[in-house]
Amino acid sequence: QVYLVESGGGLAQPGGSLRLSCVDSERVRGLYTMAWFRQAPGKARDFVGAITSTTGETFLAGSVQGRFMVSRDSAKKTMYLQMNSLKPEDTAVYYCARKPLGYNDSPGAYSTWGRGTQVTVSS
């Protein structure tokens, strides 16, 4: 059963923007954190950003601060990743993930994953 579904990936030029969405169809009780990770070919899966279920506190990797933003729409059970000022090094498969309780930036801490959406930044 796949509960997290990402969308919004595609091709963008350097300096352009994309907005990714992650819809969560699972009924989740208690506190949890949702996060974005990305993985380029031949590289490790890296943390991008996260948001908590209670206060909506957000966290971002230093490499994307000032360019990316994480947000949510609780009524739609959807998390977003707004990506601005895109760079070629942002090219990767972007994954949505969820874990119980609080924030963590390690992919091993997350128990539920989507299948990813491809983002390509190229001129």
Side-chain angles (χ1 to χ4, degrees):
Q1 181 75 52
V2 178
Y3 293 109
L4 305 181
V5 179
E6 305 95 336
S7 63
L11 177 65
Q13 295 187 341
S17 298
L18 286 173
R19 190 186 193 191
L20 307 184
S21 299
C22 173
V23 178
D24 190 351
S25 63
E26 186 173 16
R27 187 176 82 93
V28 181
R29 293 184 295 174
L31 307 178
Y32 62 93
T33 300
M34 295 188 68
W36 292 98
F37 292 83
R38 65 185 181 184
Q39 187 167 25
K43 300 186 67 177
R45 188 167 297 189
D46 289 334
F47 173 77
V48 178
I51 188 166
T52 62
S53 65
T54 52
T55 65
E57 183 179 12
T58 59
F59 304 84
L60 288 171
S63 59
V64 303
Q65 287 182 355
R67 300 189 298 122
F68 292 10
M69 296 180 63
V70 177
S71 62
R72 68 180 180 185
D73 186 328
S74 297
K76 297 180 179 179
K77 297 194 292 183
T78 302
M79 176 180 64
Y80 303 97
L81 181 66
Q82 179 66 49
M83 304 186 294
N84 300 320
S85 302
L86 284 163
K87 304 175 180 179
E89 51 262 47
D90 295 320
T91 296
V93 176
Y94 283 71
Y95 296 92
C96 176
R98 172 169 27 84
K99 68 177 292 292
L101 303 177
Y103 163 75
N104 195 293
D105 65 359
S106 174
Y110 289 77
S111 55
T112 303
W113 292 83
R115 293 179 175 178
T117 184
Q118 176 71 48
V119 172
T120 302
V121 183
S122 176
S123 60

